[in-house]
Amino acid sequence: HLRRNSHSVLAVKTPPAASIRLGASLAYRGFVLLLAIILVAAYALFIWTSGVFSVLIGLPMLLALAAIGAGLWDAWRPRTGALHYAAGQWVLAQEGVETQGTLQVAMDLQNYLMVRFTPSVPTLDVSAFLPPWSAWLHLEYRHSQDWRALRRALFAVPHLTETASLEPRDPAPQPL
């Protein structure tokens, strides 16, 4: 994808256009379900072996059950929309609204990717103290027509433009 021309400059090919529909992630559902089973089993085993159940044990258990419920709801809620890449720009299309933004890969398991989509322009008017809105997306091989094109677009070097010099930026050594 890179070629050298006679002027010691890299010519970078732009990754091909790619698209993936958002759907239920079996890997994410399995992970959340396994985590829920382990957590409930650990609490049950602790209560059974100690024979004690108190507020000090019940409150963290209640918080853990709430977290499990939120995770299970998130894993099983319907996913609609699509993620598109073309000409160096990612677009998340959900419920008829298209939002441009950037993607960061958080986890790569070859056939499963967990990515964070952050809009280029904040869509919510929130305090400067809050982090910008972002969406965590679970992408799977089975939801894409061309998984390889999607991966090429994800892992393309974002800071290189059509040409980038191979020469060092500051060839002179700096004194210590």
Side-chain angles (χ1 to χ4, degrees):
H1 296 215
L2 301 176
R3 68 175 191 261
R4 198 182 260 254
N5 63 20
S6 62
H7 302 291
S8 183
V9 172
L10 276 179
V12 179
K13 285 187 178 180
T14 306
S19 181
I20 187 169
R21 66 181 170 83
L22 302 178
S25 168
L26 296 179
Y28 179 55
R29 284 181 174 177
F31 173 74
V32 169
L33 190 58
L34 180 64
L35 190 62
I37 290 169
I38 289 171
L39 196 55
V40 168
Y43 267 113
L45 184 63
F46 176 77
I47 291 169
W48 180 61
T49 57
S50 68
V52 177
F53 184 80
S54 67
V55 174
L56 292 175
I57 296 168
L59 186 60
M61 181 193 244
L62 208 61
L63 292 174
L65 288 174
I68 288 171
L72 291 172
W73 172 81
D74 185 52
W76 265 270
R77 71 185 167 111
R79 303 270 195 238
T80 58
L83 183 65
H84 308 285
Y85 175 83
Q89 187 64 47
W90 288 99
V91 176
L92 179 63
Q94 289 183 312
E95 300 174 6
V97 177
E98 291 189 349
T99 308
Q100 293 184 348
T102 58
L103 277 187
Q104 295 175 324
V105 177
M107 186 185 316
D108 178 8
L109 301 176
Q110 296 300 315
N111 288 336
Y112 168 82
L113 291 162
M114 184 169 75
V115 297
R116 179 180 172 189
F117 178 85
T118 305
S120 300
V121 179
T123 55
L124 299 175
D125 184 23
V126 295
S127 168
F129 300 108
L130 296 176
W133 170 87
S134 61
W136 288 95
L137 305 173
H138 306 274
L139 310 177
E140 287 188 353
Y141 174 78
R142 63 192 181 97
H143 294 141
S144 177
Q145 295 291 342
D146 190 358
W147 183 251
R148 291 177 64 199
L150 180 76
R151 289 183 60 82
R152 280 194 299 272
L154 268 171
F155 293 109
V157 181
H159 62 279
L160 289 179
T161 57
E162 281 302 313
T163 60
S165 175
L166 290 176
E167 303 302 322
R169 291 183 188 197
D170 188 11
Q174 297 294 324
L176 295 175

